[in-house]
Amino acid sequence: RFNMQIPQNFHIGIKAVIVNNNKALVVFDPRFHGYDLPGGKIDKGEGIESALGRELKEELGLERFAMGELLYVFERSDYGKKNASLMLIFYKVRAKVSNITLDKEHSGYKWISVKDFKEILKKGYVRNDGVKTALEKVLK
């Protein structure tokens, strides 16, 4: 018999994989000393695209973007909220990014190539397996 604990509710997070010239935009999160993708939790009553728009504006100062393909869905096992699980949804995003205004959560950003990605992966500087898989899908 298969037995598992089912969380009482899911929190849903949306992440953007912004790609330009074969490089992906990552943000540096000093809280865990590693690279993440811009995005955050979807608020109650908010749609996926509007949540992503709000997060991109808050985190990067980005006003305009176009949602592309769904890349990956990942359940974060280290979420740490009682009776809740966090599902992260990763979308490829197209945007003209010229000047970035970072929020207080992030201390830097970087456009990474496949080579850069392999380096930060080797050093263990990728936030979680969801971020790793989403980046692998676009950085080939």
Side-chain angles (χ1 to χ4, degrees), residues 10-108:
F10 280 95
H11 294 179
I12 309 287
I14 183 92
K15 294 282 188 176
V17 185
I18 302 170
V19 182
N20 282 327
N21 301 321
N22 299 316
K23 289 186 174 187
L25 180 71
V26 292
V27 289
F28 191 78
D29 190 331
R31 292 171 295 182
F32 71 93
H33 197 71
Y35 289 97
D36 199 354
L37 291 164
K41 282 198 283 188
I42 299 173
D43 292 338
K44 190 175 180 175
E46 193 174 39
I48 289 173
E49 198 163 345
S50 59
L52 190 59
R54 176 181 50 77
E55 289 291 346
L56 290 175
K57 187 170 172 52
E58 285 172 12
E59 293 185 7
L60 304 174
L62 190 63
E63 296 280 346
R64 297 176 58 197
F65 69 98
M67 282 183 75
E69 66 186 285
L70 171 67
L71 292 169
Y72 192 59
V73 177
F74 174 72
E75 183 178 356
R76 232 182 74 194
S77 58
D78 65 339
Y79 188 47
K81 297 258 197 263
K82 193 176 179 196
N83 295 325
S85 190
L86 178 64
M87 297 299 284
L88 294 175
I89 305 169
F90 296 86
Y91 276 93
K92 189 171 182 178
V93 168
R94 288 182 307 282
K96 284 193 173 99
V97 183
S98 47
N99 55 343
I100 289 175
T101 310
L102 286 176
D103 62 354
K104 291 185 212 101
E105 283 179 34
H106 304 105
S107 61

Side-chain angles (χ1 to χ4, degrees), residues 86-134:
L86 178 64
M87 297 299 284
L88 294 175
I89 305 169
F90 296 86
Y91 276 93
K92 189 171 182 178
V93 168
R94 288 182 307 282
K96 284 193 173 99
V97 183
S98 47
N99 55 343
I100 289 175
T101 310
L102 286 176
D103 62 354
K104 291 185 212 101
E105 283 179 34
H106 304 105
S107 61
Y109 69 92
K110 190 178 199 172
W111 287 98
I112 62 167
S113 64
V114 178
K115 187 176 174 254
D116 300 325
F117 175 57
K118 288 177 179 168
E119 281 301 307
I120 64 171
L121 209 52
K122 233 187 278 179
K123 293 176 182 172
Y125 290 163
V126 177
R127 178 75 170 101
N128 57 48
D129 284 342
V131 172
K132 174 184 174 277
T133 302

